[in-house]
Amino acid sequence: MPEVLSATPGLYPLPDWAKDELAGLKGRQKGGLISGDEGEAIVAAYEQAREEVVDLQTDAGLDLAVEGQLRWDDMLAHPLAVADAVETRGIVRYYDNNNFYREPVVTDDLAASGDVGAELDAASGHVDDGLAAVLPGPYTLADLAADEHYGDSESFLAAVADFLAAEAEQFSDVETLFLLEPSLLESPPGDGADERASEAIDAVASATDADVVAHTYWESHGGDGSLDEKVYAHLLDADIDAVGFDLVADHEGSTYLINEYGCTDDVALGVVDGQNTLVEDTEEVAERVEWTLSNTPGADFETVYATINTPTFYLPSSKFEEKLETLGALELTEVTA
C-alpha cells in the first residue's frame, strides 16, 4: 500500500481581487508584465495573494503546498523571461490553446536569476512543512524559447538545463520539485533528441536534494495520444523519483507504459482535471487512483502523488478552490488497491 500525498503542479489563477488590483498597478499591456524589478505596491499585492493561495492549500488539507507561481505572466517561460541575457519579443501561442506568452529569445550566456528561489523563500514563511517547487522542465523550456546565442539545439538544451539546475540549487527548504514537461507530448523529441531530453532532466534533478517529479501532461501530437514509448523509456534513465502522468487525457496509454516499461519508485497521477470547470468529488478521484493502481499490478509504488493533471491558471478562482478541496479531502478516503 503506497503512501498517497495530495499535491498540485502549481501555476494557479490569481485571486479575483488581485487581478483587479494588479491590473491597475501594472497595466494590461506588454509594458506592465513582470520583469523581475516590480515596485513595492506590486510586490505587496503578490505577497498577499501568495499567502492567500498557500492558506487555501493548507485549509484544504493538501499534503504538499506550492507557491502558486502567481507572478508568472509567461506560464512556463517565466524563468527565462526575467533572466538576463534574454529578450522577450513577440507574443506567441501557448501550445494549441488561446493563451499566449512573450517569446523569450536567448542572446547571451544564461545565468540563474534566483527569481524562483526568492518566490519560494517568500512562501516558506506560510508553510510549516511540505513546500513543493515548480519549474519548467528543460526540454519544455528550450522548446518554448528561441536561441540566438548557442547555435544549435543540442547546445541550447544543455544550456537551458544548466540554467534550471543553477536555479534549483538556490532553493531552500523544498521537499519536492515538479518539473513540468508538456512538450514531451506536445512536441515530442525525435531520435537522439529523446536521449538528450532525458539527460537534461537528469542534470536539473541532480542539482537538488528534493524529490523530483517529471510531470507530463496533455496528449501527444507526435504519437497515439500517449507519451511516446521511446521518450518514456529514456525518461526513466533520468535521476528522478517519479514520473507524472495525465490520467485525465489518457489513462489507458499511461498504464500501458507503466506495465510495458516499468516506472519510477514513486508516481504522480493527474486525476483531477485542471482545464474543466466540472468539479469532481473525492470518491471519484479516489476511484481514479485505485483504478490506476489496480491496473498496474507489476508496479510497487512507495509514494503516489495524487494531483491535478495540469496547471490550473485556466480555471475561475471558485472552481480552482473547489478542486483543491476535492484533492485535500482525498486523505480521508481509504485507497484500498
Side-chain angles (χ1 to χ4, degrees):
M1 175 68 188
E3 180 183 24
V4 179
L5 300 178
S6 52
T8 76
L11 275 76
Y12 287 169
L14 269 170
D16 291 338
W17 67 264
K19 291 178 185 175
D20 294 337
E21 184 169 331
L22 287 164
L25 292 169
K26 295 167 54 183
R28 298 179 185 276
Q29 303 303 313
K30 178 179 178 181
L33 296 177
I34 286 295
S35 61
D37 56 356
E38 303 89 81
E40 291 183 6
I42 294 174
V43 170
Y46 277 116
E47 173 62 27
Q48 182 179 344
R50 178 185 297 114
E51 181 177 357
E52 184 173 307
V53 298
V54 171
D55 287 346
L56 282 173
Q57 296 168 80
T58 302
D59 293 343
L62 265 68
D63 295 300
L64 293 175
V66 294
E67 184 272 336
Q69 294 75 53
L70 302 174
R71 292 173 59 251
W72 291 29
D73 287 319
D74 296 285
M75 285 82 87
L76 299 182
H78 168 85
L80 279 182
V82 297
D84 293 336
V86 178
E87 296 178 7
T88 53
R89 296 181 183 168
I91 301 299
V92 293
R93 185 178 294 274
Y94 182 61
Y95 297 118
D96 187 23
N97 60 46
N98 291 325
N99 289 287
F100 296 85
Y101 68 101
R102 295 170 294 174
E103 183 181 34
V105 182
V106 177
T107 59
D108 206 338
D109 288 344
L110 285 170
S113 70
D115 183 272
V116 179
E119 290 179 328
L120 290 166
D121 288 343
S124 64
H126 309 298
V127 181
D128 291 333
D129 55 39
L131 180 63
V134 177
L135 281 174
Y139 178 74
T140 290
L141 189 56
D143 180 51
L144 295 177
D147 170 42
E148 291 186 356
H149 177 66
Y150 290 96
D152 62 77
S153 59
E154 184 173 349
S155 299
F156 185 51
L157 176 60
V160 170
D162 289 344
F163 165 76
L164 291 172
E167 295 283 2
E169 287 174 349
Q170 299 185 42
F171 296 172
S172 58
D173 300 326
V174 170
E175 184 171 314
T176 307
L177 169 62
F178 280 82
L179 290 177
L180 307 186
E181 284 283 21
S183 286
L184 287 180
L185 288 100
E186 288 284 323
S187 182
D191 289 343
D194 46 13
E195 184 175 1
R196 291 192 291 275
S198 175
E199 293 170 349
I201 292 169
D202 183 82
V204 182
S206 299
T208 176
D209 293 329
D211 293 334
V212 176
V213 180
H215 189 57
T216 65
Y217 49 91
W218 287 330
E219 293 186 350
S220 173
H221 289 181
D224 58 2
S226 304
L227 192 60
D228 178 86
E229 293 183 41
K230 194 162 177 277
V231 171
Y232 178 69
H234 280 298
L235 180 59
L236 293 180
D237 292 333
D239 183 22
I240 56 176
D241 297 278
V243 175
F245 295 94
D246 184 345
L247 275 297
V248 175
D250 187 4
H251 59 284
E252 292 184 349
S254 298
T255 53
Y256 166 79
L257 289 173
I258 295 171
N259 291 327
E260 186 70 17
Y261 296 98
C263 195
T264 40
D265 291 340
D266 304 332
V267 68
L269 305 178
V271 287
V272 172
D273 194 338
Q275 298 183 94
N276 192 319
T277 56
L278 180 65
V279 179
E280 304 87 343
D281 60 41
T282 300
E283 181 178 352
E284 181 181 5
V285 172
E287 288 175 353
R288 290 176 179 176
V289 174
E290 288 181 333
W291 183 91
T292 306
L293 296 179
S294 63
N295 281 278
T296 52
D300 185 19
F301 297 118
E302 297 174 3
T303 300
V304 171
Y305 299 94
T307 78
I308 299 175
N309 62 330
T310 70
T312 54
F313 60 85
Y314 308 92
L315 294 173
S317 293
S318 60
K319 298 300 181 183
F320 156 72
E321 292 175 17
E322 291 180 53
K323 286 176 182 275
L324 287 187
E325 291 171 359
T326 293
L327 264 179
L330 184 62
E331 62 181 354
L332 303 178
T333 302
E334 184 179 7
V335 179
T336 56

